[in-house]
Amino acid sequence: EADIYQTPRYLVIGTGKKITLECSQTMGHDKMYWYQQDPGMELHLIHYSYGVNSTEKGDLSSESTVSRIRTEHFPLTLESARPSHTSQYLCASSDDRGLNYGYTFGSGTRLTVV
Amino acid sequence: AQKITQTQPGMFVQEKEAVTLDCTYDTSDPSYGLFWYKQPSSGEMIFLIYQGSYDQQNATEGRYSLNFQKARKSANLVISASQLGDSAMYFCAMREGGTGGFKTIFGAGTRLFVKA
């Protein structure tokens, strides 16, 4: 049973539409992350949060925005989707116990913008 | 700047044999963690194993072991007794303990094919 949930699993949407990718976790983790991954390629950090009302941009520039109003919820929004946004988006979380714990990832959202 | 390099885009291994997936890293932070993740075709990322920079012994988790050579800055994953279900993408990752905070960077990945 997953402890971190992403919806939708797949999304095909037209250019110019506003979309929100949902991510929720039930583990009480303070730290949450969004990664972007093209098929078969490496993951790139686009946003992260160290807690409620804390959000930072990651290493890869992204036109998306995020919010963290509740500990368990970390949605990602694209105001105007473009074909270049077609990718897989992975949400992850981690706790405060230190370096030696891996992330827990959601199942990902595969976004296609046509 | 921190960096992860995986030089093997694809690897083949016969079922029941062992395979080593290579990973080298670069960091100036003396405190860091190294991770391996598995990504099946379904897309989710599964945490496999962790090695800390101050750990004296190589990490092991079931059939997975991490060959940590600090002076060479390498952290190779060894999978023993390969199974068909091991076919997947494998990502090496690193997290720095200092200014890097809890952000993790990933390598480009190695696709492993296990042959029956």
Side-chain angles (χ1 to χ4, degrees):
Chain A
E1 187 174 324
D3 296 311
I4 182 164
Y5 304 90
Q6 286 187 247
T7 58
R9 184 74 177 88
Y10 301 93
L11 178 62
V12 180
I13 200 162
T15 298
K17 300 291 186 182
K18 177 180 178 179
I19 57 170
T20 296
L21 308 185
E22 300 289 347
C23 176
S24 294
Q25 50 98 2
T26 59
M27 298 169 284
H29 288 171
D30 282 330
K31 297 173 176 59
M32 297 189 74
Y33 315 84
W34 277 103
Y35 285 85
Q36 184 175 343
Q37 181 190 28
D38 291 331
M41 304 294 285
E42 65 196 279
L43 283 70
H44 293 283
L45 181 67
I46 52 175
H47 297 284
Y48 61 99
S49 168
Y50 286 167
V52 171
N53 294 325
S54 151
T55 61
E56 300 286 344
K57 288 189 178 294
D59 303 321
L60 180 69
S61 176
S62 173
E63 294 166 346
S64 58
T65 59
V66 292
S67 62
R68 190 86 184 277
I69 299 172
R70 303 196 314 268
T71 298
E72 62 271 21
H73 196 212
F74 191 41
L76 181 146
T77 298
L78 277 166
E79 290 293 333
S80 180
R82 296 208 303 266
S84 61
H85 297 140
T86 294
S87 190
Q88 172 161 256
Y89 294 83
L90 288 159
C91 181
S93 70
S94 66
D95 61 22
D96 283 325
R97 288 179 288 174
L99 277 175
N100 55 325
Y101 289 90
Y103 287 179
T104 302
F105 279 87
S107 298
T109 294
R110 297 193 182 188
L111 173 66
T112 302
V113 183
V114 298
Chain B
Q2 54 178 333
K3 185 179 180 181
I4 292 283
T5 302
Q6 294 180 254
T7 57
Q8 305 155 314
M11 289 280 289
F12 286 86
V13 64
Q14 194 68 39
E15 192 179 11
K16 299 181 184 177
E17 292 185 351
V19 63
T20 298
L21 307 183
D22 295 342
C23 173
T24 59
Y25 61 92
D26 191 23
T27 179
S28 57
D29 194 326
S31 174
Y32 53 89
L34 296 159
F35 304 81
W36 278 91
Y37 289 84
K38 174 183 178 182
Q39 187 177 44
S41 57
S42 52
E44 75 272 24
M45 294 283 286
I46 303 166
F47 166 59
L48 295 178
I49 194 167
Y50 160 84
Q51 179 83 44
S53 59
Y54 295 118
D55 292 344
Q56 296 298 313
Q57 300 209 341
N58 288 340
T60 60
E61 288 287 346
R63 293 186 299 111
Y64 304 109
S65 61
L66 200 153
N67 184 0
F68 181 46
Q69 298 189 41
K70 194 170 183 177
R72 294 185 180 182
K73 292 190 175 180
S74 74
N76 299 339
L77 177 70
V78 180
I79 305 174
S80 63
S82 297
Q83 302 172 356
L84 295 177
D86 293 335
S87 293
M89 281 288 286
Y90 288 82
F91 291 93
C92 181
M94 178 172 66
R95 188 188 309 167
E96 291 176 335
T99 57
F102 284 85
K103 294 185 292 180
T104 298
I105 64 164
F106 290 80
T110 295
R111 185 170 295 280
L112 178 66
F113 300 91
V114 180
K115 298 182 291 184

